[in-house]
Amino acid sequence: QVQFVESGGGVVQPGGSLRLSCAASGFILDYYAVSWFRQAPGKGRERVSCISDNARNTVYTGSVKGRFTISRDNAKNTVYLQMNSLKPEDTAVYYCASDPNCAGQGLDYWGQGTQVTVSS
């Protein structure tokens, strides 16, 4: 099956860190820009970050700038999201998807998501 598989979520205290992984399954990641999205209960989907296919360009939503870092290892067919200084408002299900040119359109290969809960 052609999709992304997310992992690395969990429960963490405010101020803690997590690293999420987004592994491409059934296709080669090299030529795809990839975005991380999140959806909190009762809220719409929000794009958190995007990384271009060659990793030269990254995009972050304002609320995570300086706290989250997106990266990729094409040899491992995986994109990562390092999340530091986590806040309760970061609680959500996190998904990844291919995002051509990081344009936020034509999204594909959605995974099942991984739950991140920030709570004391």
Side-chain angles (χ1 to χ4, degrees):
Q1 191 171 2
V2 180
Q3 65 177 33
F4 284 110
V5 179
E6 301 93 341
S7 62
V11 180
V12 63
Q13 293 186 341
S17 298
L18 284 173
R19 187 175 83 153
L20 306 183
S21 297
C22 169
S25 176
F27 67 101
I28 297 173
L29 189 60
D30 296 35
Y31 305 110
Y32 293 86
V34 178
S35 281
W36 281 98
F37 294 83
R38 66 186 178 186
Q39 188 162 19
K43 295 188 177 181
R45 186 177 67 197
E46 174 188 31
R47 191 174 73 170
V48 174
S49 183
C50 187
I51 188 166
S52 62
D53 56 354
N54 59 12
R56 291 178 183 172
N57 297 306
T58 57
V59 176
Y60 298 94
T61 191
S63 62
V64 308
K65 282 182 180 178
R67 300 190 297 123
F68 291 11
T69 303
I70 193 170
S71 63
R72 64 192 295 153
D73 185 342
N74 285 349
K76 294 183 177 180
N77 230 25
T78 301
V79 172
Y80 303 98
L81 187 68
Q82 177 67 42
M83 306 188 296
N84 298 329
S85 302
L86 283 162
K87 304 176 180 180
E89 51 264 43
D90 295 317
T91 295
V93 179
Y94 284 70
Y95 303 87
C96 52
S98 62
D99 187 354
N101 299 312
C102 289
Q105 298 180 357
L107 307 170
D108 204 353
Y109 303 143
W110 291 94
Q112 297 301 307
T114 185
Q115 174 71 48
V116 172
T117 302
V118 185
S119 174
S120 55

